[in-house]
Amino acid sequence: MPQAEKEYDVIIIGGGPAGLAAALYTARDRYSTLILEKNGLPGGQIMLTEHVENYPGYQKISGFELVEQMKAQVASFGAETVIGKAANAIRRRDDGKIEVDVNNGELTYVARAIIVCPGSDYRSLDVTGETEMRQATRVSYCATCDGAFYRGKHVLVIGGGNTAAEDTVYLATRFTEKVTMIHRRTEFRAEKVLVEELYAAADEHNIDIKLPYVPTEIVATENGQDIDHVKIQNVETGAIEELNVDGVFIFVGMNPNTAWLQGIVDIDESGYIKADPVTMKTSMPGVFTAGDCRCAAAMQLATATADGVVAAMQLRDYFRDPSSWSGGQCDHSTEGW
Ligand code: NAP
């Protein structure tokens, strides 16, 4: 039986913007608050964003700097953070308190309530050669992280959402000699304004947009260190083309980090936590959620922080009257934002 750590009023699982915003409110309410962060640094996906321009109050700030400010703010009100602690399980005890096992049962933390904010990770395509070329650092899922490696090079972008539209322009205007962009449909999922910006940048910055195309194979050079070419297929004609590119950026969405919660709280078919969108209550009494991991989340920094605030405020009511609980409903799909 793992040793139980100190008890807290609230444990927040995940130290991204949703978790940090929740901690700000619970700590200011003088609830003892612990943030469990599985990585070496809190912050989540926003840490990989070079410029945040759509968070109210900041015209432009890097994700890293914004998280630094959030962390300092949260710590100033007494919230504790432990890093390198991945939650594996949550159990509700007979006395109503909730246990959180971390690092495969290495430790167990106990709290009166939990706010689950594990965020989402990049989705892969599972196309032949993707894993090998990812290991060789020729396949990337983050333009901010890896764009600078492709100065004067030709890269392939795959995807048709906001990330693909924005990051194609980002790559083409800052680094690359050419970007070929493919998307599996003739219509983009991305917002109209971003699609307009994409087409506006296409001529001047050598962006070749090919619709509807899918990749079928990423073929390595003989030594396995580089990409020789990528095979792409026209979805309408079936014709295969070979593209000589130096790198591939895959922007096909996110996977919520909720596999460990299967069978513990209700989760939808895409892996998002079912939660009442007004209260952030999951199907397990005392367990709230917030951020990109929840069903119907808008996947925005501002909405993730808003979720965290809502969960923290609902916690007050829960502590006042733990007996009534209604959660775990979500009628909306996360897809389609
Ligand atoms: P997304 O909106 O889910 O788009 C994923 C794209 O990848 C879609 O175009 C999808 O095609 C394509 N795709 C998915 N699986 C594929 C496969 N197996 N093969 C080929 N293509 C595939 O993901 P996202 O662009 O990363 O955005 C995630 C969320 O963040 C969204 O809610 C988005 O609005 C938000 N976001 C917002 C901003 C902003 O506001 N500035 C910037 C970036 C992201 P289909 O369209 O055919 O499904």
Side-chain angles (χ1 to χ4, degrees), residues 200-223:
D203 281 346
E204 192 184 342
H205 296 286
N206 205 7
I207 301 169
D208 184 13
I209 301 163
K210 293 169 86 73
L211 311 171
Y213 276 82
V214 290
T216 58
E217 187 177 355
I218 302 171
V219 181
T221 52
E222 259 181 33
N223 64 11

Side-chain angles (χ1 to χ4, degrees), residues 125 160-163 166 183-185 189 252-253 299-300 337:
L125 279 176
N162 281 350
T163 305
E166 272 189 345
H183 173 42
R184 64 182 174 183
R185 294 187 294 134
R189 181 178 292 275
V252 296
M299 302 286 186
Q300 297 298 298
W337 281 100

Side-chain angles (χ1 to χ4, degrees), residues 39-65:
N39 295 316
L41 274 179
Q45 295 286 340
I46 198 66
M47 294 282 277
L48 307 174
T49 303
E50 191 184 60
H51 297 306
V52 177
E53 296 178 330
N54 55 4
Y55 193 68
Y58 294 91
Q59 286 206 342
K60 188 178 274 193
I61 187 168
S62 74
F64 182 84
E65 197 187 331

Side-chain angles (χ1 to χ4, degrees), residues 50-51 143-145 147-148 165-175:
E50 191 184 60
H51 297 306
T144 307
C145 318
E166 272 189 345
D167 286 356
T168 293
V169 176
Y170 171 81
L171 290 166
T173 52
R174 282 175 175 72
F175 308 115

